[in-house]
């Protein structure tokens, strides 16, 4: 599912226009992003999951094209941990 498909599904499920669904989704993404930019930013949605920031240390890597070692700089990355209800729903989902 891509962003436009998600907007369509949200509009249908909530009985709202696609414009309103798009605004709601963009507001959600904007608020999660701005919260994660803060020092100890974390967004917890009970049953769904938690968005947080993790710090990756600098490390040594290998350039796959040249096989030469390269330095990979330390950085912050966005992280998502599924909540119990989401994890259970996904684990119980049947393959199509």
């Amino acid at each position: 599912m891509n962003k436009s498909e998600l907007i369509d599904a949200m509009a249908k499920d909530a009985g709202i226009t696609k414009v309103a669904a798009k605004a709601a989704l963009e507001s959600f993404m904007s608020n999660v992003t701005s919260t994660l930019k803060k020092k100890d930013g974390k967004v917890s949605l009970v049953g769904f999951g938690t968005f947080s920031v993790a710090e990756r240390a600098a490390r040594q890597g290998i350039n796959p094209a040249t096989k030469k070692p390269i330095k990979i700089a330390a950085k912050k990355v966005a992280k998502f941990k599924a909540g119990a209800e989401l994890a259970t729903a996904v684990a119980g989902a049947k393959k199509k």
Side-chain angles (χ1 to χ4, degrees):
M1 177 179 276
N2 61 31
K3 185 177 178 181
S4 64
E5 292 170 338
L6 179 58
I7 290 169
D8 292 345
M10 288 172 56
K12 183 180 175 186
D13 291 347
I16 58 176
T17 66
K18 290 181 184 179
V19 172
K22 181 178 180 182
L25 180 59
E26 288 177 352
S27 174
F28 171 78
M29 293 187 314
S30 173
N31 281 289
V32 169
T33 300
S34 64
T35 300
L36 293 180
K37 285 181 177 181
K38 295 177 184 172
K39 185 176 180 182
D40 292 324
K42 183 188 283 192
V43 177
S44 296
L45 303 172
V46 176
F48 184 73
T50 303
F51 295 92
S52 61
V53 176
E55 297 205 20
R56 288 208 177 146
R59 61 192 191 279
Q60 192 75 20
I62 296 176
N63 181 332
T66 63
K67 307 295 184 208
K68 293 184 178 179
I70 58 172
K71 292 181 182 178
I72 301 172
K75 65 180 179 178
K76 292 181 180 181
V77 294
K79 187 169 99 168
F80 176 77
K81 182 175 187 222
E85 290 176 27
L86 177 61
T88 301
V90 170
K94 295 180 181 177
K95 290 185 179 180
K96 291 182 181 180

